[in-house]
Amino acid sequence: MLSDQESGRGTLRLVSIFLALSTFAPLPAMAANDRPWEPGWSVVPYGWLAGFDGEIGVNSAGLDPGGGLGLADLVEFSTDGELEEIGFMLYAAWRGERWSAAVDSVWANVKQDAKLVLRGLLPDSSLRLTIDGNIYHATLGYLLSETERSALVAYGGARYYDVELVVDASGGLLPSPVSASGSTQWLDATAGLRWTYRPSPRWDITALADFGAGDSDASWQVFATIGYHFSWGAIRAGYRRLDVDYQSGDYVLDAALEGPLVGVAFQF
């Protein structure tokens, strides 16, 4: 998870970018259609200052250098450190009069300090955890209601995870640096709601929440952005949290990926 200081600096940087673009970008004439639900296409690339928080487990075969340490087959870690990498997202959607379809792609490569969970086997060792993953979410939505300023959409779909964990350890009781890694893929069905509120032609607020289950015991996300509109699209900034609880014989991921984001929405 991001430290309070790092999260504050990251949020300030993203807000500064958002305000600068809003201030200095040219302001063309507003499009005639400023409904909260606008049929058409949109493509939104985001930069995401994301970090992991939670419990992570991987097979210990590569971590045990011998010497009678006796590590369990599955060793679990908790993240404890500051973010070193950012993530990226790409959201693409089609909207008809009532139906919509969307694809959401997330990539993140996060490196953080880690510590063993409830174990003192490597008390003085330096542990470094790298999470490298892709998450793809495809949905089909239906416009439940629309007013002059707001729109509510129900959607369902599937979320696919492709995640690799790498643990590097050195020092302490270890005679030499060791490393362990694990990768796996799984699929969840999802259902959720997305709400858009447009207080003025220039501004909108969008929030969504969904829940998933399947190969995971449970997964969910919350995602909120504020957008400033031009004739060609909008500049967006917000916050996102993706949470998943997945376990297999030699793999555990009970963690959240979260952080502030900023992006540009192109509408067609």
Side-chain angles (χ1 to χ4, degrees):
M1 184 178 181
L2 296 176
S3 67
D4 292 340
Q5 183 178 9
E6 180 71 14
S7 179
R9 290 198 303 266
T11 303
L12 182 59
R13 286 197 296 268
L14 291 173
V15 170
S16 298
I17 293 171
F18 177 79
L19 293 177
L21 289 172
S22 299
T23 302
F24 296 110
L27 302 179
M30 283 297 299
N33 188 356
D34 57 7
R35 295 167 50 195
W37 176 268
E38 299 179 5
W41 291 85
S42 61
V43 177
V44 194
Y46 288 97
W48 193 11
L49 190 66
F52 261 96
D53 171 36
E55 308 298 327
I56 294 151
V58 66
N59 191 286
S60 67
L63 271 178
D64 193 346
L69 289 180
L71 295 181
D73 291 339
L74 180 68
V75 290
E76 296 185 27
F77 305 86
S78 65
T79 58
D80 182 22
E82 292 189 356
L83 172 78
E84 283 198 358
E85 302 279 346
I86 66 172
F88 297 95
M89 298 183 295
L90 180 64
Y91 177 83
W94 166 84
R95 295 171 302 279
E97 288 301 321
R98 298 202 75 87
W99 289 95
S100 62
V103 176
D104 176 34
S105 174
V106 175
W107 172 82
N109 183 286
V110 180
K111 298 179 181 179
Q112 292 179 210
D113 293 330
K115 60 184 178 181
L116 285 169
V117 178
L118 301 178
R119 302 184 189 275
L121 297 173
L122 306 175
D124 299 318
S125 300
S126 173
L127 299 175
R128 195 69 168 156
L129 182 67
T130 301
I131 300 109
D132 191 351
N134 293 279
I135 304 171
Y136 305 98
H137 193 194
T139 60
L140 181 66
Y142 185 76
L143 179 63
L144 296 177
S145 66
E146 181 187 16
T147 68
E148 181 180 350
R149 295 187 180 275
S150 67
L152 180 65
V153 176
Y155 64 88
R159 186 155 47 227
Y160 176 76
Y161 297 82
D162 183 2
V163 179
E164 180 181 20
L165 307 178
V166 179
V167 179
D168 297 297
S170 62
L173 300 178
L174 297 174
S176 60
V178 293
S179 179
S181 64
S183 62
T184 191
Q185 301 80 37
W186 68 93
L187 184 69
D188 287 344
T190 62
L193 294 171
R194 180 172 60 251
W195 175 73
T196 300
Y197 176 67
R198 198 148 183 183
S200 72
R202 288 290 192 192
W203 293 93
D204 80 80
I205 300 170
T206 299
L208 66 83
D210 60 54
F211 179 82
D215 293 336
S216 300
D217 292 336
S219 64
W220 58 269
Q221 75 162 330
V222 289
F223 186 5
T225 63
I226 183 171
Y228 185 80
H229 287 255
F230 304 93
S231 62
W232 48 265
I235 299 168
R236 313 198 66 83
Y239 200 89
R240 185 176 192 178
R241 179 182 174 100
L242 273 165
D243 199 293
V244 62
D245 182 2
Y246 173 81
Q247 299 186 36
S248 65
D250 59 358
Y251 197 95
V252 172
L253 182 61
D254 184 4
L257 178 65
E258 64 175 326
L261 55 91
V262 65
V264 179
F266 300 97
Q267 297 176 349
F268 309 97

